Amino acid sequence: MVVSASSPVIPRWPGLPDTERLVLRELLLHGSQSRVRIAEKLGLSRTSLTRTTRNLIDAGLIVEGPAQALGTRGRPAEMLELRPEAVHFAGVKLTADTMYMVLTDMRGRAVAESVQTLPSRDVADVVALIARSIPAPPRGAGPVAGLGIAVAGDVTESPEGAVLRHSNFLGWDAVALARLVTEATVLPATVVNDVHALTGAQHWFGSGPPRSSLVVFGIGAGIGSGVVIAGELHQGAHGRAGRVGHSRIGGRGRRCENGHTDCIHSFVTIPAIEHNAGVGPGEYDTVIDRARAGEARAAAAVRDAARAVGTVIAEAVNAFDPDAVALMGEGLDMVELAPEPLRASLVEFLEQGEPDDVSILRPRFDFGLYARGAAVAAMRELLSA
Ligand SMILES: [Zn+2]
């Protein structure tokens, strides 16, 4: 079924018209700015900007900052500033057995976090756990305006809102999760693929102003990627953008879910590295210790993982020519331990250019960033024009 992106049952940010959303997004992404500058960038008339900023100030979302002299001549510029504590967003990351929850302000900063074991994988149980676990904002701060849920799987839009498909860790398929969570919480709910969530948060709040294009890889229990093109997160026609990793690269590694023993998944994931190094599940750290100590089989597993990482980076650069590639996730030790095989793959597979032309970022990572990404996904949804 084909339905337009915006769902009728998920309420927009209450009472915030398009122009207000644009101005708020501009201040959120590019910091405090003068009225004149904002009007120029967004193509707003003075009258329209005056009305819009008045509405945002009345709503408590922005304030007028101290006037600043921006040049040697003319009147000091009237600055507008975001009030990040005016609104909060809840973010949830679900794994097969655990719920990570975070509450962020409008700058994506966590103000409360919790980790809880799922009571079961029954959808109703998990929705009820989400509904009763949303933290209260700090005393005196603004309310929770929206909620995002990040899950491994495909997210597609339907008349019922976002529907989660093929979420294998949870055993969920065709779950109208956004509607169920909205009904249980009375909050606008956004459901997002977990690597897309990580990508959206890195894009808006990673470092410096948002880049025009970015590819983020999430590497750990599995491998996935997220793509930003022309400043927007590209989720794909079927919620599957950024699925990478079954290209056959030779060698022999762990059998992937598609039956390959020589694809990127066969080498790059934590289970693959454990298998290829001859240790049991959960012993990834042992492999890394052994590889550091020069043990041959562990070192080979790590080198193969690095070769696989170099290959997927080269494929992404060939496909999108992004401003930067960010590597995130809990299974990235191969990047430091085996830089040569990674670079050799770039040399072999990049269609044009040199490995040094590729800007590869290693942002700080912890598992809580998936939940923060979910909160940012809710923010992106509510601030989209
Ligand atoms: Zn495969």
Side-chain angles (χ1 to χ4, degrees):
M1 185 161 61
V2 179
V3 182
S4 67
S6 180
S7 156
V9 298
I10 303 300
R12 285 291 199 163
W13 194 324
L16 207 58
D18 283 352
T19 311
E20 276 75 352
R21 273 203 294 275
L22 281 177
V23 171
L24 200 58
R25 182 170 155 146
E26 181 61 30
L27 291 169
L28 181 69
L29 297 185
H30 300 286
S32 302
Q33 293 172 65
S34 71
R35 285 175 181 272
V36 173
R37 181 91 182 106
I38 290 175
E40 280 173 5
K41 281 170 88 170
L42 300 179
L44 299 175
S45 69
R46 179 185 287 201
T47 315
S48 174
L49 184 71
T50 301
R51 183 180 63 244
T52 302
T53 54
R54 175 52 53 199
N55 288 344
L56 289 170
I57 290 168
D58 289 348
L61 294 167
I62 67 171
V63 289
E64 290 180 299
Q68 286 187 13
L70 298 181
T72 51
R73 296 197 296 183
R75 289 191 303 165
E78 297 169 15
M79 303 298 286
L80 297 174
E81 291 176 4
L82 191 73
R83 284 189 67 238
E85 71 281 15
V87 171
H88 292 80
F89 292 86
V92 172
K93 155 75 173 168
L94 298 173
T95 68
D97 51 22
T98 306
M99 179 185 78
Y100 298 79
M101 183 173 272
V102 66
L103 191 71
T104 76
D105 67 10
M106 259 198 293
R107 292 225 184 275
R109 293 178 296 216
V111 297
E113 290 179 85
S114 68
V115 180
Q116 296 184 64
T117 302
L118 298 183
S120 77
R121 289 181 195 161
D122 184 76
V123 174
D125 284 350
V126 175
V127 169
L129 177 67
I130 291 170
R132 67 174 177 268
S133 304
I134 298 171
R139 187 189 300 248
V144 182
L147 170 78
I149 304 142
V151 198
D154 304 338
V155 178
T156 54
E157 294 297 331
S158 85
E160 285 199 285
V163 173
L164 177 65
R165 297 184 193 280
H166 310 125
S167 192
N168 297 334
F169 290 121
L170 286 160
W172 292 359
D173 190 27
V175 175
L177 193 58
R179 176 177 62 78
L180 294 172
V181 171
T182 291
E183 286 172 0
T185 61
V186 202
L187 287 171
T190 301
V191 180
V192 63
N193 168 273
D194 52 0
V195 181
H196 291 176
L198 203 57
T199 304
Q202 176 63 24
H203 177 232
W204 270 20
F205 299 115
S207 60
R211 297 164 194 269
S212 172
S213 57
L214 175 71
V215 174
V216 173
F217 286 102
I219 299 177
I223 175 169
S225 69
V227 181
V228 171
I229 302 171
E232 297 296 333
L233 183 62
H234 178 72
Q235 305 203 56
H238 308 92
R240 298 180 202 142
R243 288 299 163 84
V244 293
H246 289 290
S247 300
R248 319 283 284 266
I249 59 171
R252 184 168 182 84
R254 182 177 187 258
R255 186 176 298 278
C256 79
E257 63 197 32
N258 293 359
H260 311 138
T261 55
D262 60 352
C263 75
I264 285 160
H265 280 262
S266 304
F267 301 104
V268 83
T269 66
I270 286 176
I273 292 169
E274 290 168 345
H275 173 273
N276 298 341
V279 304
E283 296 189 64
Y284 173 76
D285 289 345
T286 303
V287 180
I288 299 307
D289 289 344
R290 287 182 184 173
R292 283 188 210 284
E295 196 265 315
R297 190 168 175 190
V302 169
R303 277 200 308 274
D304 282 343
R307 187 168 62 92
V309 172
T311 307
V312 284
I313 292 173
E315 287 180 344
V317 170
N318 291 341
F320 301 111
D321 187 17
D323 290 331
V325 174
L327 303 179
M328 302 182 78
E330 63 276 25
L332 282 170
D333 296 275
M334 77 291 271
V335 177
E336 275 76 38
L337 288 178
E340 297 84 6
L342 195 161
R343 186 179 173 86
S345 285
L346 290 175
V347 170
E348 183 173 2
F349 294 116
L350 282 176
E351 278 294 313
Q352 299 284 337
E354 298 295 324
D356 291 340
D357 297 339
V358 182
S359 172
I360 300 177
L361 312 174
R362 283 293 311 277
R364 185 188 64 82
F365 177 81
D366 66 68
F367 206 75
L369 287 181
Y370 280 111
R372 187 185 74 142
V376 174
M379 203 183 307
R380 291 182 79 113
E381 172 84 12
L382 289 175
L383 282 176
S384 63

